[in-house]
Amino acid sequence: MKTVTISCILIVFLCMNVNAQEVNKTFFEEKVGYDILIDHCDRSGLEGPEFGQYFKEYYSAYQLDDETIAKLSKHIKGITIKIILGSWCHDSKMQVPRFVKILDQINFKKENLTMICVDRSKKTHTFSIDDMDVSYVPTFIFYKEGKEIGRIIESPEKSLEKDFLTIVN
């Protein structure tokens, strides 16, 4: 009986490891001359050494549009978001921290957000994002019920909050 229990525990552990994705990996990008984030990342990666200085600066300096935030909070149910970014890219360094601040303010569930870091060729290293049709970073892709409903590409047209609201409204 003990052997069966131990075997079951080992199988569960192995399955968990197979499904777990390594996040916040870095690699030396020759084109920029320093380490960049690659593949899946999370907030701790954005706040880490490769991106953190910019993250903290742009996050704290961004002034939220409270009126739009209040409206936005009512329209996020069922929304998932993928952010494709380059930790080497000026627009990503500026726009992603601002967007994360918006997500924080509207209490967006972190499990509904996926962040993917690309190299200068807009490629990942351990999986493909070719089906996402990303030419510029950052690209914020919004989904409802698994279907894409809109994008913010590189920089917002009006503001991050207003463009976000237009997409999900």
Side-chain angles (χ1 to χ4, degrees), residues 83-86 88-89 91-92 118-123 129-141 148 151-155:
I83 303 175
I84 315 303
L85 68 124
W88 45 268
C89 166
D91 289 323
S92 292
V118 296
D119 63 19
R120 299 254 322 162
S121 301
K122 316 301 183 299
K123 301 287 183 192
I129 61 163
D130 291 345
D131 62 329
M132 291 184 208
D133 193 30
V134 173
S135 298
Y136 301 97
V137 290
T139 296
F140 305 88
I141 309 172
E148 183 177 330
R151 293 178 178 218
I152 299 173
I153 300 172
E154 215 168 5
S155 296

Side-chain angles (χ1 to χ4, degrees), residues 106-169:
I106 62 173
N107 297 315
F108 193 80
K109 294 179 181 176
K110 70 179 183 178
E111 61 268 14
N112 292 336
L113 175 66
T114 302
M115 292 188 282
I116 301 170
C117 296
V118 296
D119 63 19
R120 299 254 322 162
S121 301
K122 316 301 183 299
K123 301 287 183 192
T124 54
H125 288 187
T126 58
F127 57 93
S128 175
I129 61 163
D130 291 345
D131 62 329
M132 291 184 208
D133 193 30
V134 173
S135 298
Y136 301 97
V137 290
T139 296
F140 305 88
I141 309 172
F142 299 81
Y143 299 89
K144 186 158 191 165
E145 298 175 3
K147 295 185 182 199
E148 183 177 330
I149 59 170
R151 293 178 178 218
I152 299 173
I153 300 172
E154 215 168 5
S155 296
E157 290 180 20
K158 295 178 183 174
S159 72
L160 286 169
E161 299 96 320
K162 288 180 180 174
D163 290 7
F164 188 165
L165 182 60
T166 298
I167 291 168
V168 299
N169 196 2

Side-chain angles (χ1 to χ4, degrees), residues 5 29 45 47 54 56-57 60 71-72 81 85 101 104 108 115 119 132-133 138 150 162 165-166 168:
T5 303
E29 172 68 79
E47 293 174 334
Y54 302 100
K56 292 170 187 142
E57 177 184 329
S60 63
K71 293 176 186 174
L72 190 53
I81 301 170
L85 68 124
K101 186 170 186 174
D104 288 348
F108 193 80
M115 292 188 282
D119 63 19
M132 291 184 208
D133 193 30
K162 288 180 180 174
L165 182 60
T166 298
V168 299

